[in-house]
Amino acid sequence: MHIALLSRNRNLYSTQRLIEAAEQRGHTARVVDTLRCYMSITSHHPSIHYKGAEIEPFDAVIPRIGASITFYGCAVLRQFEMMGTYVINDSVAITRSRDKLRSLQLLSRKGLGLPITGFAHSPDDIPDLITMVKGAPLVIKLLEGTQGIGVVLAETNQAAESVVQAFMGMKANIMVQEYIKEARGADIRCFVIGDKVVASMKRQAAEGEFRSNLHRGGTASVIRITPEERSTAIRAAKAMGLRVAGVDLLRSNHGPVIMEVNSSPGLHGIESATGKDIAGMIIEHIEKNATPVRKTPPKPKG
Ligand code: ADP
Ligand code: MG
């Protein structure tokens, strides 16, 4: 097969590993710079051009779209979908996953465990919003933050109120969330491919920090997850419509609660922590599910 990796940077660990894994399994793979794709939206021959010429046909696309270019990246990916190309995660699912509030709303519909979360518009509603999530300490987070940036722990109701007011004043979209203290700065990353958790790791926040993100100094180690955690992760990925996902859970007193579902989970941390060939498993999933391209693309679906 001929596989495209939609990525801005060919030197990233995850990009390199996916290329390597594809080649090892006898495929060809090419890094396509998302922001250099441009498209012609026509009914009979939707196409993508790349650096001056029409792009070659691919059998599958692996999107690795950074949070800062979600809008353009998803437009490019959608164009591949219109051309009938198999994409491992589709544009709608990626767009969903980039909005933490929308994601939690979708997960709540499936009855999955979540931290109590509130969202409001008017500053007049802040005191009740804080009560709704059981008061301080509580977590305030930007709907579109990543890598732990934009996640704040407010220790007192007063601090929470001021921070929420400040964010609202800046027109930043935030939600407030019950603080899962008993997780003690640790979360569990479940790497889902298809309908399986293929690897999992525990991330422990650095001393004096509550955010376990590796970018914030967290450390990763292997962990055995419970059957309940496993099924929560699989159901979460499914609810989001993601075939490859990094589902982050916290161990709360009332079972696993979902933090977020990542649509471009990094491979470095999880492969180093577990020693597993996750890139190879992603390629294997494509082999099983993608139908190699036909000369005439099928009628695009809605
Ligand atoms: P990001 O997208 O920036 O990674 P997250 O919502 O995943 O944002 O939060 C980052 C980290 O902060 C989590 O992995 C977790 O360790 C910690 N955290 C976030 N929300 C809570 C919470 N409600 N209770 C306890 N810890 C939290
Ligand atoms: Mg996170």
Side-chain angles (χ1 to χ4, degrees):
M1 287 196 295
H2 189 40
I3 301 171
L5 246 121
L6 264 189
S7 169
R8 289 233 60 210
N9 186 349
R10 62 174 58 250
N11 298 320
L12 293 177
Y13 176 92
S14 303
T15 312
Q16 290 207 336
R17 283 285 298 121
L18 286 161
I19 297 279
E20 198 178 281
E23 288 173 354
Q24 254 168 19
R25 300 179 68 95
H27 308 294
T28 51
R30 181 175 173 209
V31 179
V32 172
D33 179 351
T34 321
L35 295 185
R36 293 298 307 275
C37 290
Y38 46 107
M39 54 212 109
S40 159
I41 298 117
T42 58
S43 294
H44 299 294
H45 184 64
S47 63
I48 293 178
H49 284 234
Y50 188 62
K51 299 183 180 174
E54 191 165 335
I55 204 161
E56 76 258 31
F58 289 101
D59 299 302
V61 174
I62 303 177
R64 303 283 313 176
I65 298 167
S68 61
I69 62 156
T70 300
F71 184 79
Y72 196 82
C74 284
V76 172
L77 187 61
R78 201 179 309 119
Q79 188 73 358
F80 275 111
E81 293 162 20
M82 296 304 122
M83 291 156 57
T85 311
Y86 175 87
V87 300
I88 190 140
N89 279 334
D90 71 31
S91 55
V92 174
I94 295 175
T95 310
R96 275 185 202 121
S97 76
R98 292 289 155 89
D99 177 336
K100 289 185 204 286
L101 178 69
R102 183 177 179 187
S103 303
L104 292 186
Q105 287 175 313
L106 292 168
L107 297 170
S108 76
R109 185 168 58 183
K110 299 289 174 194
L112 291 160
L114 305 170
I116 302 170
T117 304
F119 184 59
H121 176 78
S122 168
D124 296 343
D125 298 322
I126 298 174
D128 193 37
L129 186 70
I130 290 174
T131 314
M132 258 168 52
V133 302
K134 303 203 289 196
L138 57 79
V139 173
I140 301 161
K141 56 178 91 167
L142 291 173
L143 298 196
E144 299 198 352
T146 57
Q147 306 185 342
I149 299 162
V151 180
V152 182
L153 178 62
E155 307 266 6
T156 65
N157 284 350
Q158 235 172 1
E161 204 166 321
S162 324
V163 176
V164 173
Q165 269 167 358
F167 276 128
M168 280 182 173
M170 290 162 64
K171 307 254 178 269
N173 274 324
I174 48 137
M175 59 193 197
V176 296
Q177 198 165 66
E178 163 196 15
Y179 176 50
I180 311 294
K181 194 172 176 201
E182 60 270 26
R184 286 192 233 109
D187 77 350
I188 300 172
R189 158 63 56 96
C190 300
F191 204 104
V192 178
I193 303 179
D195 55 5
K196 283 201 183 74
V197 175
V198 298
S200 48
M201 65 175 168
K202 174 179 160 179
R203 295 177 301 193
Q204 179 67 52
E207 193 64 36
E209 171 61 76
F210 80 103
R211 298 165 298 178
S212 57
N213 303 67
L214 301 182
H215 287 98
R216 303 270 73 75
T219 44
S221 58
V222 192
I223 192 173
R224 272 184 77 87
I225 56 170
T226 66
E228 191 189 9
E229 287 161 353
R230 186 173 296 275
S231 82
T232 300
I234 295 165
R235 288 173 63 205
K238 188 154 181 261
M240 301 294 295
L242 293 166
R243 288 188 273 246
V244 170
V247 182
D248 296 341
L249 306 172
L250 296 188
R251 283 184 169 166
S252 83
N253 289 337
H254 44 99
V257 292
I258 303 170
M259 275 284 94
E260 60 171 344
V261 184
N262 292 280
S263 52
S264 290
L267 299 184
H268 198 184
I270 193 90
E271 286 196 339
S272 317
T274 64
K276 291 187 180 172
D277 175 15
I278 311 288
M281 296 184 209
I282 293 176
I283 303 296
E284 195 184 336
H285 185 83
I286 294 176
E287 288 166 0
K288 288 193 184 134
N289 293 283
T291 353
V293 262
R294 287 158 271 182
K295 283 241 161 60
T296 11
K299 284 223 172 84
K301 280 184 257 159

